[in-house]
Structure formats: structure tokens, C-alpha cells
Amino acid sequence: MNRQNIVSREQWNATHKAFLEKEKALTRAHDELAAQRRRLPWELVTDTYVFKSPTGSVTLADLFEGRSQLILYHHMLKPADTQPCAGCGMVSDNIG
């Protein structure tokens, strides 16, 4: 333990309060950035994309099945890989 970091209760409270203000500012900045991301414009998709599915070929609109959002997650696999990495699998398992 570094003894030069030992301070009185009052000094600790003052230092901690200043730190919390910085943390709150960072949280507010992150929240604002996330809000800006949500307000980004959308792009109209006019091309017809066809995908392979377990039931055959489907269009992009078919993939939505009436839903307002579609989540795509790209598992980057090398040809020799027999399964996705544990991290990619965990992400996909928990989307829902």
C-alpha cells in the first residue's frame, strides 16, 4: 500500500466528490452521443437483396417478418473454423 495516498475523511470526500462529477459528466456525454446515434438518418433500401435461409431464398423484407427492426450479427469465421468463437456465440445467444 502506498502511504502517500492515505488522507483524512474530509480530503477523501472532497476528492471522491470531484471524481464523481467527472464520472457523471462522462455518463452525460455518452448518453448524448448515444442519442445522436439514434437520431442518425436512415437510408432507404431500394435494391432487392436475396438471402439463403433454412426455408429457402428470402428477401430482406421477408427477414423482417413484419417487425420494425432487424438485427444482423456477422460471425467472422475462417474456412477451417468449425464453430463461431465463444464471444460471438454469447452475443447471439443473448439477443432477443
Side-chain angles (χ1 to χ4, degrees), residues 51-53 58-67 70 72:
F51 302 89
K52 294 178 186 174
S53 82
V58 294
T59 66
L60 182 60
D62 295 332
L63 290 175
F64 278 86
E65 295 180 342
R67 296 179 185 94
L70 175 68
L72 297 176

Side-chain angles (χ1 to χ4, degrees), residues 9 27 31 36 46 49 63 66-68 71 76 85 90 92:
R9 175 63 125 176
T27 298
D31 290 347
Q36 288 177 25
T46 57
Y49 294 96
L63 290 175
R67 296 179 185 94
S68 62
I71 296 173
M76 295 183 279
C85 74
M90 182 188 70
S92 294

Side-chain angles (χ1 to χ4, degrees), residues 2 7 24-25 29 34-35 37 43-44 48 56 58 64 71 79 83 90:
N2 185 347
V7 297
K24 288 178 184 179
R37 182 183 307 111
E43 179 183 353
L44 178 63
T48 301
V58 294
F64 278 86
I71 296 173
Q83 60 188 17
M90 182 188 70

Side-chain angles (χ1 to χ4, degrees), residues 19-53:
F19 177 78
L20 287 178
E21 287 303 317
K22 289 180 181 180
E23 257 188 341
K24 288 178 184 179
L26 179 60
T27 298
R28 285 189 290 272
H30 183 269
D31 290 347
E32 175 54 31
L33 185 62
Q36 288 177 25
R37 182 183 307 111
R38 289 189 298 272
R39 290 190 300 266
L40 285 171
W42 292 18
E43 179 183 353
L44 178 63
V45 178
T46 57
D47 294 340
T48 301
Y49 294 96
V50 179
F51 302 89
K52 294 178 186 174
S53 82

